[in-house]
Amino acid sequence: MIQIISCGVYVPALRVGSSEIAKALGAYAGAGIKKKALPEVDEDAFTMAVEAAKEALLGMKTLGGSGDGSLPSARAGGGAVEGEPGRSATVAGTAGTGTSLGPGDIDYVAFASTSFPYEEKSFAGALAECLGIPKTAFVGEFGSSTRAGTEALISAASALASGAFRLALVVVSDCPGGGPRNPVEQAAGAGAVAFVLQSGENEDRCIFSLEGSSTWSKESLGIRSRRTGFTEASDLGIARHSRDAFVGTCVGAVRALLEKERRVGRGESEEKACEAALSSVGSEFRGLVATQPDARLPLDLGRTLGFQDERVLPGIVASDMGDAGAASCLLGLLAYLESGSVKPGDLLLLVSYGSGAIADALRVRVGRGVDEISRQKPLRSLLDAGTDVDFVTYLRVRGWL
Amino acid sequence: MRDVAIVAAGQSEFGEFPQKSIKEIFAEAFDDMKSSLAGALDPSVIEAAYVGTLGVGGFQLGQPGPLLAKHVGLGNIPVTRVENACASGGFALLSAVLAVGSGQYDVVLAAGVEKMRDTSAMQGRYWLGVSGDTEYERLAGLTFAGIYAVMASRYMHDYHVPKKYLSMVAVKNHSHGALNPKAHFQRKITLEQAMGAANVAYPLNLFDCSPTSDGAAAVLVTSLERAREFTPSPVKVLGFGAGTDYLAIHERRSITGLEAARIAATKAFAMAGISPSDIDVAEVHDCFTIAEIMAYEDIGFAGRGEGWKLLEAGETTLGGRMPVNPSGGLKAKGHPLGATGIAQAVEIFNQLRGKAGKRQVAGARFGLTHNVGGSGGAATVFIFGIDA
Amino acid sequence: MGAYISVPVWERTIAQRYGLKGQRCLGCGAVLFPPKVVCPECGGHSFEAASLSGRGRIYSFTVIAGGGAPPEFEWQANAVGSYVVGLVELEEGPRIIAQIVGVDPRAAMAAPLFEDSAFEDSGGSSGDKGKRSLIGLPVKAVIRKVYEQEGVIRYGYKFKVVSEV
Ligand SMILES: [Zn+2]
């Protein structure tokens, strides 16, 4: 079983109200977004990733004493002193007792974003340096669409399932953007999320587990994309076309998940199979979490799949932080988990969408560790804690004035 | 070491002269120095020269010494450029004093020059930060004012000093500068003006900072034996000291005083055989107002954390018990980096000879100069007296 | 012209910039940052590597007016105007200069510098940070973009004020 044993989140402190943008531009394109998170001038996808990852690693450390012993620890004890290169770093620098997991135990890192600060340059070394992860760890980057977050998660889960890796860190950090009049920019928020994953059976430390995933893709043109050499994402602005691509692709992935696991639809027509899947999914899963280019599309998807709005709303974060790109559905998942509306054993349907178009559907089982998500700050408190800035400050921080 | 004296001293006007070349400014100081002599100066008697300059603007990063020495007609003598940031002048003087004191030379020129007001705003900002620890101070975004501001914040915090006292340094030195026809700023300012100026590096505002200036200064150093060949009233070097410290303030144990300056002062007083209370007039390195307050303590005019109290009673104002920076200091006279340490000696030379005009400290017998490089990475202190 | 740290030299300090790697003197136990060849406490020459926690307190600070920022920081000054630079005293002992993020420079300038009793651990409430001097406040290290030169983004530590423990 692939378990997520520690999580970290990061949301930059500044907020731009949608009313502030609407007042300045006369219109606002982010449906259901009340405000969006704005990275400070010295923040980017990399710095936010480090923040979220550090928290996840810190959370993992607090699990140390209750260790189930299933994981061989690379270090005995810990402490502030570096022993051998690459095996050093305890984030907190204090000595642990018993079985203690540290950054030195991580051997698989997946980093996802649609807004890496460089188009060509690996951030493997940079993340490893910042986090104290051995330089020998496998590191991969995912970033060709907003689906990159679950792409990273699935890759890590597969790596662990294969038995070739022991402990994985998945970091998804994104701060999409465009020009001041670009609809993508208007909704663009920012945030990062990090997970530590292991393959194990002891459920005490499990916040949630991944029970399966499916992917579905379809050529879809003219929706959000960014061509090589351009810094701005563009969208032809054919609203219905974009919505259909989102909902249609996501439904395709959900259907594929159900087909895979229950062999629904074998021999039936595609349309009938879809209907069969859709009719059962709302009763099987406690709730739905989806990628959030805005705060309305997940509700649209939910209605299509048979989820009432209240079973989707706990996982909507775009309303308070804007479009966090590849991180949005995973931040939404954490928001759902900490909302108090799930209990261990519940199933959540996680659907990740990327323009192009492609979607992943994941079966998420809430674990016993859900009540003790060992994070210093709940996501909700970060969302509530922002500092509002006016339109001019927003432009300055973006570097446009 | 044999006795050493200063027999002639002069400086250019300090200020903003974007179209004057470095050579012209230097020659102006050299000529002013010559005019302090009763008779003419034959340049061929000068056996060596030390020129202090940081090199702001990059006008002549290599060999400014020969360039300037030949320009003013010196012989083909050994000329050395001395660099220790804002203490380049003080260390040039130190080199000259040692060269004469050692007996190697009898007549040596110590000079300093800087040309700062012809660079673009961007170039200027580049140059102003070059004397901190580049890797760990400047590249944290810290300006030079910022480094002193960090010291000021902690000083004010530790000793409960209101901002007013920093501004009082500026008001005092501007009032002195108003009496100095060669000062960069020759106007008084009010305490309200000083306190209300725009922030530069909190808690330091514009009036807490010395200006960047164009200027040069020169002194002629000779053995005391031969001093009277040049002037009937030489000024004797009674003592001197120099010190260094970690360049970066994060490496220092204390940031509310400058260890390099304390060491320099202690050595200078020991050599002179007098104590801080004997000093009648002093020129101290007030690149920022907080620096003058720390200088009071590092020299020994006041105890630790008590320097600012001297301002309340006006003890360091002209007419007070022990005037400090009668020239206007770096704050009002101006701060052409390499020239500053020499110009301090020029002022004390004039004060001790009763030639300081409207800003004369009556009956001054012992004078002191205190010149600091960077944020305290290096410092010199000299004590001078009339050779009776 | 002016101050310049080349990319290779910067890269050599990555362990410090990203990971706060310092050293411990084998002679006297002092923890040093950045690494040195001679211990300032005892004159010793032997060290072992030591990772710093990144936790500390603001020992002193300044607010740099944007107009006077070093050229490397012009982009930042243009975007945010003034910014805060602090001298942070780390738990392990060393002091370190870095920018302080997440602090309103105006509030930092408005707070009195020497009502120190107000920001002891047991003292002031965390709700009125605007009126408290930054001096003494607890901070933790974060990674931020420091500046960009020759097309290379230079990341490194800055410090963020955290609530009292
Ligand atoms: Zn030691």
Side-chain angles (χ1 to χ4, degrees):
Chain A
M1 184 168 57
I2 303 304
Q3 302 176 325
I4 280 69
I5 57 168
S6 185
C7 311
V9 291
Y10 180 75
V11 180
L14 305 181
R15 299 286 180 277
V16 191
S18 51
S19 59
E20 192 66 29
I21 296 173
K23 201 168 68 187
L25 299 181
Y28 182 70
I33 296 177
K34 298 193 294 271
K35 55 187 175 178
K36 61 179 204 165
L38 176 69
E40 293 197 59
V41 66
D42 55 356
E43 292 185 297
D44 60 23
F46 171 63
T47 67
M48 295 193 302
V50 175
E51 294 255 358
K54 272 188 179 174
E55 254 201 72
L57 296 178
L58 215 54
M60 173 178 67
K61 194 165 177 54
T62 64
L63 298 166
S66 66
D68 60 11
S70 65
L71 267 161
S73 174
R75 274 175 313 105
V81 176
E82 186 165 353
E84 51 183 307
R87 279 280 188 220
S88 61
T90 58
V91 170
T94 55
T97 54
T99 308
S100 172
L101 295 177
D105 298 306
I106 288 175
D107 56 1
Y108 189 96
V109 179
F111 183 11
S113 180
T114 66
S115 43
F116 287 116
Y118 291 73
E119 278 192 26
E120 180 172 346
K121 175 196 183 309
S122 172
F123 275 92
L127 260 183
E129 285 284 354
C130 289
L131 302 171
I133 291 170
K135 291 182 171 70
T136 50
F138 172 84
V139 178
E141 282 140 18
F142 301 85
S144 51
S145 78
T146 57
R147 172 247 185 182
T150 51
E151 197 179 350
L153 199 60
I154 291 167
S155 86
S158 307
L160 293 171
S162 77
F165 297 93
R166 296 175 311 178
L167 194 62
L169 173 71
V170 172
V171 190
V172 188
S173 174
D174 220 347
C175 46
R181 287 190 165 276
N182 187 321
V184 175
E185 169 62 31
Q186 290 187 24
V193 56
F195 301 103
V196 178
L197 289 73
Q198 67 173 26
S199 175
E201 298 306 323
N202 183 337
E203 290 186 28
D204 289 341
R205 57 165 60 173
C206 175
I207 296 166
F208 65 90
S209 56
L210 297 176
E211 295 195 342
S213 72
S214 279
T215 300
W216 196 79
S217 60
K218 159 184 182 295
E219 174 70 331
S220 186
L221 305 173
I223 52 180
R224 175 164 159 179
S225 62
R226 180 161 59 86
R227 293 201 54 194
T228 303
F230 289 75
T231 54
E232 283 193 30
S234 69
D235 190 314
L236 291 185
I238 313 167
R240 178 70 199 208
H241 176 58
S242 294
R243 183 198 170 280
D244 287 352
F246 180 90
V247 174
T249 312
C250 287
V251 168
V254 172
R255 187 185 58 216
L257 181 72
L258 298 171
E259 269 181 5
K260 194 183 203 172
E261 294 183 0
R262 288 197 267 138
R263 303 184 173 275
V264 167
R266 183 170 291 264
E268 293 176 82
S269 76
E270 204 169 281
E271 205 163 307
K272 273 195 169 175
C274 179
E275 275 167 24
L278 297 189
S279 63
S280 67
V281 73
S283 56
E284 180 174 358
F285 292 92
R286 175 73 192 81
L288 167 72
V289 181
T291 295
Q292 299 164 33
D294 61 29
R296 188 168 298 157
L297 278 169
L299 295 172
D300 288 354
L301 176 64
R303 286 169 198 156
T304 306
L305 290 172
F307 289 94
Q308 303 96 317
D309 286 358
E310 62 267 26
R311 293 165 68 198
V312 182
L313 284 168
I316 293 206
V317 292
S319 50
D320 295 310
M321 65 183 296
D323 173 8
S328 69
C329 64
L330 296 168
L331 286 162
L333 176 62
L334 281 191
Y336 212 122
L337 292 172
E338 67 178 38
S339 69
S341 51
V342 291
K343 58 184 189 310
D346 283 352
L347 277 178
L348 290 174
L349 177 59
L350 174 66
V351 184
S352 165
Y353 168 79
S355 62
I358 191 161
D360 290 324
L362 294 90
R363 178 189 295 268
V364 171
R365 176 81 67 182
V366 179
R368 285 214 283 263
V370 70
D371 294 329
E372 297 169 59
I373 296 180
S374 45
R375 278 179 283 122
Q376 292 174 324
K377 287 184 196 117
L379 173 57
R380 186 49 62 184
S381 75
L382 292 177
L383 293 180
D384 292 344
T387 305
D388 293 326
V389 299
D390 60 19
F391 191 74
V392 171
T393 305
Y394 161 50
L395 295 185
R396 287 184 72 175
V397 170
R398 278 288 202 231
W400 293 332
L401 278 190
Chain B
M1 196 189 87
R2 63 176 175 161
D3 285 337
V4 175
I6 294 180
V7 297
Q11 70 165 86
S12 71
E13 284 185 295
F14 280 9
E16 188 161 9
F17 313 109
Q19 295 190 359
K20 279 191 198 174
S21 78
I22 190 88
K23 295 178 187 172
E24 286 173 87
I25 294 172
F26 189 82
E28 196 182 320
F30 189 73
D31 289 345
D32 191 52
M33 179 194 83
K34 285 196 289 187
S35 70
S36 71
L37 292 165
L41 176 70
D42 172 7
S44 69
V45 304
I46 298 175
E47 299 163 281
Y50 296 89
V51 179
T53 187
L54 175 64
V56 170
F59 61 91
Q60 182 71 49
L61 276 183
Q63 297 192 304
L67 177 87
L68 298 167
K70 290 308 291 179
H71 180 69
V72 297
L74 301 195
N76 295 352
I77 57 170
V79 182
T80 307
R81 176 259 192 88
V82 179
E83 194 285 308
N84 231 331
C86 313
S88 298
F91 278 86
L93 180 58
L94 180 67
S95 300
V97 167
L98 292 173
V100 173
S102 71
Q104 183 65 37
Y105 303 119
D106 287 344
V107 184
V108 172
L109 180 75
V113 62
E114 212 73 54
K115 180 155 173 54
M116 309 175 74
R117 303 297 305 196
D118 61 341
T119 57
S120 68
M122 186 57 82
Q123 275 277 326
R125 278 155 56 182
Y126 251 120
W127 280 98
L128 285 183
V130 299
S131 302
D133 178 329
T134 304
E135 258 186 298
Y136 287 99
E137 289 184 324
R138 178 197 181 102
L139 293 180
L142 210 50
T143 58
F144 204 59
I147 296 173
Y148 271 95
V150 168
M151 297 192 236
S153 291
R154 188 69 201 191
Y155 183 93
M156 292 162 75
H157 170 86
D158 282 357
Y159 302 120
H160 293 206
V161 182
K163 170 74 175 81
K164 183 177 89 171
Y165 290 90
L166 271 62
S167 296
M168 286 167 77
V169 173
V171 172
K172 170 182 77 74
N173 290 349
H174 270 267
S175 77
H176 293 172
L179 304 173
N180 184 352
K182 289 190 172 158
H184 191 155
F185 297 127
Q186 299 174 32
R187 61 170 203 278
K188 295 185 175 189
I189 57 167
T190 65
L191 188 61
E192 291 66 37
Q193 282 175 311
M195 290 185 71
N199 178 50
V200 169
Y202 177 82
L204 304 179
N205 68 34
L206 190 60
F207 276 125
D208 289 301
C209 305
S210 59
T212 58
S213 310
D214 299 326
V219 297
L220 197 60
V221 178
T222 71
S223 61
L224 190 62
E225 281 181 306
R226 290 190 53 190
R228 284 186 169 75
E229 293 173 23
F230 297 88
T231 176
S233 48
V235 167
K236 191 179 168 189
V237 178
L238 299 177
F240 58 84
T244 57
D245 200 352
Y246 286 104
L247 191 57
I249 59 168
H250 58 85
E251 313 273 25
R252 299 183 198 158
R253 223 168 264 154
S254 165
I255 61 164
T256 55
L258 304 180
E259 185 67 15
R262 278 198 284 269
I263 290 165
T266 303
K267 286 182 177 164
F269 281 114
M271 185 172 172
I274 63 171
S275 69
S277 60
D278 295 319
I279 298 294
D280 300 305
V281 58
E283 287 280 305
V284 308
H285 197 90
D286 59 327
C287 50
F288 300 94
T289 49
I290 183 67
E292 176 159 332
I293 293 172
M294 294 194 300
Y296 294 164
E297 300 171 15
D298 293 336
I299 294 166
F301 295 155
R304 303 296 304 150
E306 313 238 294
W308 56 284
K309 294 176 184 169
L310 296 179
L311 294 154
E312 182 87 284
E315 290 183 67
T316 54
T317 309
L318 275 171
R321 181 173 58 85
M322 189 212 48
V324 172
N325 284 331
S327 70
L330 285 58
K331 177 73 200 79
K333 183 179 57 182
H335 184 25
L337 315 180
T340 284
I342 302 292
Q344 291 176 327
V346 174
E347 177 70 11
I348 295 300
F349 178 81
N350 289 329
Q351 288 283 355
L352 296 181
R353 297 184 359 145
K355 299 270 178 66
K358 289 181 190 165
R359 55 186 196 283
Q360 180 64 48
V361 176
R365 293 182 309 131
F366 296 111
L368 175 145
T369 62
H370 159 272
N371 186 205
V372 175
S375 57
T380 59
V381 169
F382 288 88
I383 296 168
F384 302 98
I386 309 162
D387 185 53
Chain C
M1 273 304 164
Y4 173 72
I5 296 293
S6 71
V7 164
V9 170
W10 179 274
E11 188 179 304
R12 200 171 149 78
T13 63
I14 286 294
Q16 282 74 52
R17 310 263 175 206
Y18 290 5
L20 287 175
K21 295 290 160 58
Q23 59 189 175
R24 187 190 313 278
C25 175
L26 293 174
C28 71
V31 176
L32 309 175
F33 183 94
K36 295 169 180 53
V37 295
V38 178
C39 174
E41 303 297 327
C42 74
H45 289 76
S46 303
F47 304 96
E48 62 182 1
S51 291
L52 299 166
S53 65
R55 289 188 300 269
R57 285 179 187 273
I58 296 178
Y59 185 77
S60 191
F61 75 100
T62 180
V63 179
I64 302 292
E72 297 88 350
F73 297 87
E74 199 188 12
W75 61 279
Q76 185 178 7
N78 285 343
V80 299
S82 301
Y83 57 88
V84 181
V85 182
L87 179 59
V88 169
E89 189 163 273
L90 297 169
E91 274 180 4
E92 295 85 355
R95 290 186 196 146
I96 183 168
I97 287 183
Q99 290 189 21
I100 310 292
V101 301
V103 169
D104 178 3
R106 282 162 302 184
M109 290 165 63
L113 274 168
F114 53 85
E115 289 181 0
D116 43 341
S117 60
F119 41 77
E120 290 301 323
D121 275 0
S122 53
S125 70
S126 55
D128 61 347
K129 261 178 200 151
K131 288 177 187 162
R132 300 167 66 192
S133 169
L134 292 189
I135 294 178
L137 289 184
V139 292
K140 68 163 188 177
V142 296
I143 296 293
R144 292 287 178 106
K145 190 163 129 177
V146 182
Y147 68 105
E148 190 177 329
Q149 202 167 51
E150 298 170 324
V152 177
I153 302 174
R154 310 214 183 176
Y155 295 99
Y157 54 76
K158 294 187 180 181
F159 287 85
K160 186 183 212 167
V161 174
V162 295
S163 37
E164 298 280 359
V165 185

